[in-house]
Amino acid sequence: MDITSLLLLGFAALGIISKNSPITIAMVVLLLLRVLGLQQTFPWLEKYGLTVGIIVLTIGVMTPLASGKISLDTIWHSFLHWKSLAAIAVGILVAYLGGRGALLMGSQPTIVAGLLIGTVLGVALFKGVPVGPLIAAGILSLLIGRG
């Protein structure tokens, strides 16, 4: 078994140990693609995987609105309460950081490995959610002055 497969297996083990099924499933799927000789899917996943993931995440976040659990009245009231206004401001900041992060990851691919390893470890060890690489790259872009 090659070192890349061992690394994926190690991350899958971290997912199992930390009881984090998204990490476990993601690593096992990538490992299966390698073992089954389907590496030709990797360029497509690299190019479109993030977009597909963001689409699925957006669908999940917007489902309460689509289902009627969040009404227009509730949205309107979000502009009247300080916590909701803070949430809007944080949402804007996170979207901005994600945009900077996407630019940085595209322009400096050497940092991608560190961001991914940090995100996987954060998810596996601290029960995080694997949406971190873009935001982490955005924060990093502020620290190093890029993006």
Side-chain angles (χ1 to χ4, degrees), residues 104-124:
L104 182 66
M105 290 172 79
S107 67
Q108 295 192 23
T110 55
I111 64 157
V112 172
L115 291 168
L116 294 177
I117 290 168
T119 298
V120 169
L121 290 174
V123 169

Side-chain angles (χ1 to χ4, degrees), residues 18-74:
S18 64
K19 297 181 177 129
N20 192 306
S21 58
I23 287 294
T24 305
I25 292 166
M27 296 306 122
V28 168
V29 166
L30 291 171
L31 189 57
L32 281 172
L33 290 173
R34 287 182 62 80
V35 170
L36 296 174
L38 299 172
Q39 288 92 339
Q40 68 270 18
T41 61
F42 290 157
W44 187 90
L45 288 171
E46 286 178 37
K47 187 172 183 180
Y48 300 110
L50 184 60
T51 301
V52 171
I54 290 171
I55 290 168
V56 171
L57 182 63
T58 303
I59 290 169
V61 169
M62 296 303 289
T63 297
L65 179 67
S67 70
K69 288 184 181 176
I70 296 178
S71 66
L72 189 57
D73 190 51
T74 303

Side-chain angles (χ1 to χ4, degrees), residues 65 70-81 84-85 88:
L65 179 67
I70 296 178
S71 66
L72 189 57
D73 190 51
T74 303
I75 293 171
W76 173 250
H77 280 81
S78 70
F79 291 100
L80 304 176
H81 193 275
S84 296
L85 289 172
I88 291 168

